Amino acid sequence: MKMKFTADIIIGTEVHVQLNTNTKLFCSCATKGEDIPNSRCCEICLGMPGSKPLVNQKAIEYALKLALALHCKINPDVIFSRKVYFYPDLAKNYQITQFEVPLGENGCIILDSGRKVKIERIHLEEDPASLIHPAGMEKSQYTLIDYNRSGIPLCEIVTAPEMHSPEEAREFMNKLKIILQYLKIFDENVCVIKADANISIKESGYIRSEIKNITGFKEIEDALLYEIQRQKKAIKDNEKLIQDTRGWNPDNKTTIRLRTKETEADYGYIIDPDLVKIDITEKFVKDIQKEMPELPEQKIHKFIHTHKINEQDAKILAAEYILAELFEQIAVEVSPQLAAKWLRRELIRVVNYNKMNFSQLKIDVKHLIELFSMIEKKEITETVGQDIMNQLIIKQFSPKEYVEKNNLKTVQDIAQLESLCKEIISKNAQVAQDYKNGKQEALHFLIGQVMRQMKGKADAKALKEMFEKMIKDE
Amino acid sequence: MAILKGQRYYKLKLSIDNNNYQEIKMITNLHNHIQAVHNQSIDIVEYTAKALEQAKAINKEYNYFTTISEELALSQAQNLKKTPTGRLAGVFLSVKDAICVQGVESTAGSKILKGYKPLFNATVIQRCINEGAIILGKTSQDEFGFGGFAVNTEIVPKNPFNKDRVTGGSSGGSAGITQKADFAHLALGESTGGSIVNPALFCGVYGLCPTYGRVSRYGLLDYGSSLDKIGPMAKTIEDIASLLNIIAGHDDKEATSATQKTEDYTKYLNRPVRKMKIGIIKDLFGDVFGDGVDENITKAIYKKIEQLESEEVICEEVSMPITNKYGIPAYYIIATAEASTNLAKYCGIRYGAADDLKSNYNEYFTKFREANFSKEAKRRIMLGTFTRMAGYRDAYYTKAMKVRTKIIEEYQHLFKKYDALISPVMPMLAPKFSELEKLTPAQHYMADIMTAPPNLAGLPHINVPIGMHNDQALGLMLTTNHFEEGKLIQIGSAIR
């Protein structure tokens, strides 16, 4: 049956997420640890004759959490099938996956525009081994196989063809990533996320290409942008497009044809007779639901309505699980508005400056609370606060003790400040005159001079008022 | 207990001179043998040497073994001499080649697994070793269990009563050595569609195929995973019960392993059968195999039915129209579909035989599989692959799965009324190799008409030997409801 499309661009994706379980999907080998090739495998993930798989209950729980978070209908049975194809990365020459009945169906992710992208199915399967071509994919005379990856649980998320731009595809992936973070079933530093994307355009009558194996979140947008251009150019050049499967080369940012539809594999699925049906009881689902954390949408709602911060801040904080967590803990101790402002502006700034991601962040929330409350009580200036933030991300220390030790408290002595201002004005008479003549920047210079001498410990706002008054009164 | 580590060589050190050990009189009774080991009245190392010698001599004539695991057996015997414990202490165990024994070549009778020495013991093997059993060797079989006559392999076992006849299959080697071994001996067979009871019949021994899941499949080289069952083979029904006691029970390494509680099966031996009800599957005594069932079989079985009736067992004729019409096709579709996926892993890369890794992967594995699978294996892989392809899947594989459910229902309906069902095991008596050659593959498959259905339904069944017709063994098959192995032992021990 041909679908009736009307949009200019039609995109659908299949995303594979490595789940962050301790052990593999069908054996007790570790999913992470030493990277010596073939050090984390056993008779089961090597497909040794006579070995039999056993399902990792944790992987089912993780996948179930994701299915619930994506608003899927949960099927009452988990059934595994064998997908048969001969490839050297498959220990058994078949992959254990779910075919007939997926774990979850009919879910969605809501984009910022409010549009829903339908999730057709979510299922569990085993990751194949990794193939290593020592001299590169094309030139290598031989291939090495590393089974450390063989059997790591993968969750596949299949969307309906309901995205209409590469940007939307990227947004979808980002939204998915945030949910994975919240559920704590995916570790950005260890787990791999890959996508296959289907794309077709109106001009061709929606003849679709499937791009395989796009790794990471940004690549998907690039790959789709390239593919749209390629398809449009082909039509312009009067080339006939045919349905095909293509590979994405991230190095030169192009796609190449792998195969056409005529050579599409027939996997000959059968239900895996080595495994038994696992019941997903209502009670089990309820227990999982109880364990489910608040998700981004719920957090945003709470931030706006309970913590009374603005929508934009709420969305930015909720988009990083760790930021959201920090905010909630800090907002109990200091003003939520101040916390929101400092987290979204200053913490993000230093994280980006240090080229880190939030999952690598080692910061003690107690220290942030100390810092923010000193700022709130105007015990330190924002300048001092920013400086402490710069350091807090590198090493852990108590901002309170640091301020005391280094005598960084805001100078409250008005007389001292006034005499300093006077001194600065007399030293920079011309600048003061410039300000008097209407040059606003001149005032900033003067304030800067005081700040320098005070090592940032003066309240900039107070200084400004002081200078204005003095120059006016002169 | 003794597990062979790697390939260490154990030298046989005999404490007595060779002449004495030649003089040893083996104890054939299992119970007496185990007692003698326990109270150390025999030197189990000497006995093992003797058993190995006898096994080798038998093997020379009859081809029952693919490997005689001499080193392992002697090392186990030496350990046992030090610690003479276990419910199978010193009992010699022959193992169907498809069941993994750590460090001992396990090929399921296939060229493609030449040299494969498993790194682990099958659960059944570990349990037997833990009870002091001594592994004699791996027995010959149809490649991967593909056959009912044990001829689809390189080492073809011969019938213990007449070397021109077949042992039956696929567990032919296990059945043959069980008949010929003149010492305390047990064997493990495996059945997918009849491979325990069929060779047990032709070799005149007991063979019990348990309920699917009753005995762990961990470490079994798969044929059809939803059908495969490991079971005991022995000369007496007492020994069948003893071995079943050890191998039955849940295994947390295997997902399809049953969690139902096990019983002491020896308690069922010689239990009164009065007032029990048995259904005689009358369709299986009729014209089911061209010329019909061999009349000698029918006569012998009805004689035993009369004996049971004289002991007030209620025997009634029953009919199983769906089962007997669709059992064979459903069985062959499911078994080959599963087999074609189970055998996909054999591609000459990770284990077993291998060629020079030249050419590309596709060329390599295609050539390798072509050269190392037998004709019958290829036939079943092709058949099984066809039935699960898109476009045919619903018409064959999916339909066969539905038929399977219907067949189970037909059995369950009868088991509401009957304790057991009785039928022939095979439509013919042990044929000669020369007679087999005349059969087409379809006729070969049809010969499983009695055994495929209980296997398809996962029901326990047993071959009970009931005498000889000239040089051909006679037997009957009893089938009971799931997890009622006890009743098989009970009724089986009543038929003498």
Side-chain angles (χ1 to χ4, degrees), chain A residues 250-262:
Chain A
D251 300 327
N252 62 15
K253 307 251 172 218
T254 57
T255 64
I256 45 161
R257 174 172 289 166
L258 300 175
R259 55 180 179 270
T260 56
K261 181 71 188 169
E262 293 87 74

Side-chain angles (χ1 to χ4, degrees), chain A residues 201-252:
Chain A
I201 55 175
K202 195 178 203 167
E203 292 93 317
S204 70
Y206 305 109
I207 292 165
R208 129 182 106 92
S209 283
E210 185 182 11
I211 317 167
K212 284 273 178 200
N213 262 331
I214 312 166
T215 308
F217 297 97
K218 284 171 196 152
E219 293 287 322
I220 192 164
E221 190 177 1
D222 293 345
L224 289 168
L225 281 170
Y226 170 82
E227 198 45 31
I228 291 167
Q229 266 182 359
R230 185 192 68 82
Q231 293 183 12
K232 282 190 171 161
K233 186 171 180 295
I235 288 161
K236 218 171 115 192
D237 297 349
N238 278 322
E239 278 171 43
K240 195 172 175 281
L241 281 175
I242 46 172
Q243 195 168 321
D244 64 357
T245 301
R246 308 182 69 83
W248 168 244
N249 182 340
D251 300 327
N252 62 15

Side-chain angles (χ1 to χ4, degrees), chain B residues 30 40 59 111 134 149 255 308 312 334 362 406 412 492:
Chain B
L30 212 69
Q40 293 180 301
N59 195 40
K111 242 167 49 177
I134 291 172
F149 302 100
L308 287 169
E312 288 183 57
I334 294 168
N362 285 348
K406 290 269 174 223
Q412 296 293 2

Side-chain angles (χ1 to χ4, degrees), chain A residues 11-16 156-159 163 173 194-199 209-215 220 224 245-246 259:
Chain A
I11 296 168
T13 64
E14 287 174 19
V15 186
H16 293 91
E156 179 170 328
I157 300 119
V158 182
T159 75
M163 286 170 280
M173 291 289 278
K194 277 184 190 167
D196 300 340
N198 288 307
I199 176 155
S209 283
E210 185 182 11
I211 317 167
K212 284 273 178 200
N213 262 331
I214 312 166
T215 308
I220 192 164
L224 289 168
T245 301
R246 308 182 69 83
R259 55 180 179 270

